[in-house]
Amino acid sequence: MTSEAVQRGTDWLGRAGLRPTRQRVALAALLVGDGKNRHVTAESLFAAAKKHGESVSLATVYNTLRAFRDAGLMQEVIVDGNRSYFDTNTYDHPHFYWEDEGRLTDAPADQVVIARLPDVPEDAEIAAVDVVIRLRKRR
Amino acid sequence: MTSEAVQRGTDWLGRAGLRPTRQRVALAALLVGDGKNRHVTAESLFAAAKKHGESVSLATVYNTLRAFRDAGLMQEVIVDGNRSYFDTNTYDHPHFYWEDEGRLTDAPADQVVIARLPDVPEDAEIAAVDVVIRLRKRR
DNA sequence: TTAAGTGCAAATTATTTGCAGTAAG
DNA sequence: CTTACTGCAAATAATTTGCACTTAA
């Protein structure tokens, strides 16, 4: 965990007005410490924290991811019924889901074009358009 | 439950080679008895069965929906992390999800056009493209 | 000092499973 | 008859919560 990663994490928290507690800074540094986007599950982030010798409880990872999402720092992506992915890229963009590995990655937004959206009843508005492209290894 | 609905349900099961047991015929009649597409959760189908005086256990509803899906009679749609929807329309088509009500409906397929899909690594192929348009009631 | 954040363990929710019975082919 | 199906109750998996303690502001 470089000091630069910690700095980035702290800034990221500050932008959303979240208190930079020890646990949050550690998780934030893992998430945005290198400036790249990341897709994690509570379990995967918990594992990463442990590997880096950070002491955080699993429940706190869950609560923290929820806090990050509520603060607008992350986006929750639902892809299979039993696991939530959290994405540091909050821009509304499509995803690749690698079914064999259960891994989620960004799909280049400029390569998926939704040409037309259906008419929507006038008392409703589109909150988001979730696009998940499921990939399967060719046998 | 009209005899026509039961007939349709039975035919539907037969098409997939599933045994027309009492419970399955009842559930199938509720699902496709009127020839329209339906989006259900295990709970909602269980409730519908009870309302019609059908005796089925919740576990059997779960198992039956899974059997229908495995037999290709239904499609599972994941829309929020904690509930699975099953759709009698197995054609790969987009959905509306009414966030306020937790209700899932079909979006007219001809009105959603994905113009371009991203390039995919050559050892992978696209299994499906899930499109969920989240609708929110205008305040 | 004080409200927000944390860590457990226990609770919840959706779903699956084991297994003894029941019924379809 | 024999194998698939059913119904419970118990098991599981992911996530949330209650509550006493800790810590950032």
Side-chain angles (χ1 to χ4, degrees):
Chain A
M1 196 83 76
T2 69
S3 69
E4 191 196 341
V6 170
Q7 187 55 55
R8 286 209 216 215
T10 309
D11 290 352
W12 191 61
L13 292 174
R15 241 179 286 147
L18 290 176
R19 276 196 198 169
T21 64
R22 177 172 57 74
Q23 294 81 339
R24 284 183 178 174
V25 172
L27 296 178
L30 288 169
L31 288 168
V32 299
D34 63 359
K36 292 183 190 161
N37 284 324
R38 217 160 244 109
H39 302 77
V40 299
T41 62
E43 285 289 353
S44 78
L45 183 56
F46 179 62
K50 266 216 297 220
K51 183 151 61 177
H52 281 256
E54 300 294 345
S55 146
V56 203
S57 79
L58 179 57
T60 295
V61 174
Y62 272 104
N63 293 337
T64 302
L65 284 174
R66 215 157 11 124
F68 288 178
R69 179 202 57 196
D70 293 346
L73 290 173
M74 301 187 85
Q75 196 191 352
E76 189 170 5
V77 183
I78 305 300
V79 72
D80 65 350
N82 49 331
R83 204 193 292 291
S84 271
Y85 290 79
F86 290 85
D87 185 353
T88 53
N89 179 359
T90 56
Y91 181 82
D92 191 6
H93 63 289
H95 287 102
F96 283 135
Y97 180 62
W98 303 80
E99 295 193 329
D100 313 272
E101 313 156 55
R103 198 161 51 85
L104 191 74
T105 59
D106 284 338
D110 60 316
Q111 288 188 22
V112 180
V113 181
I114 299 190
R116 246 178 97 197
L117 283 175
D119 302 326
V120 157
E122 58 175 278
D123 61 331
E125 62 188 351
I126 294 179
V129 180
D130 297 348
V131 177
V132 177
I133 299 160
R134 296 173 170 273
L135 298 180
R136 182 189 297 145
K137 280 261 156 57
R138 213 183 284 275
R139 66 221 142 267
Chain B
M1 195 82 75
T2 70
S3 67
E4 191 196 340
V6 170
Q7 186 56 53
R8 286 207 215 215
T10 309
D11 290 352
W12 191 62
L13 292 174
R15 240 178 286 147
L18 289 176
R19 277 196 195 169
T21 65
R22 176 171 58 74
Q23 295 80 340
R24 284 183 179 175
V25 172
L27 296 178
L30 289 168
L31 288 168
V32 299
D34 63 359
K36 292 182 190 161
N37 284 323
R38 216 159 245 109
H39 301 78
V40 300
T41 62
E43 285 288 353
S44 79
L45 184 57
F46 180 62
K50 266 216 297 222
K51 183 152 61 178
H52 282 257
E54 300 294 345
S55 144
V56 203
S57 79
L58 179 57
T60 294
V61 174
Y62 272 104
N63 293 337
T64 301
L65 284 174
R66 213 158 12 124
F68 288 177
R69 177 203 58 194
D70 293 345
L73 291 173
M74 300 187 85
Q75 198 190 352
E76 188 169 4
V77 183
I78 306 300
V79 72
D80 65 349
N82 50 329
R83 205 192 291 293
S84 271
Y85 289 79
F86 290 84
D87 185 352
T88 53
N89 179 359
T90 55
Y91 182 82
D92 191 5
H93 63 289
H95 287 102
F96 284 135
Y97 180 61
W98 303 79
E99 295 193 329
D100 313 272
E101 313 156 54
R103 198 160 51 86
L104 190 74
T105 59
D106 283 339
D110 60 316
Q111 288 188 23
V112 180
V113 180
I114 299 191
R116 247 179 97 197
L117 283 175
D119 302 325
V120 157
E122 58 176 278
D123 61 331
E125 62 187 350
I126 294 179
V129 180
D130 297 348
V131 178
V132 176
I133 300 160
R134 296 175 170 273
L135 298 181
R136 182 189 295 144
K137 280 259 156 56
R138 214 183 284 274
R139 67 222 141 270

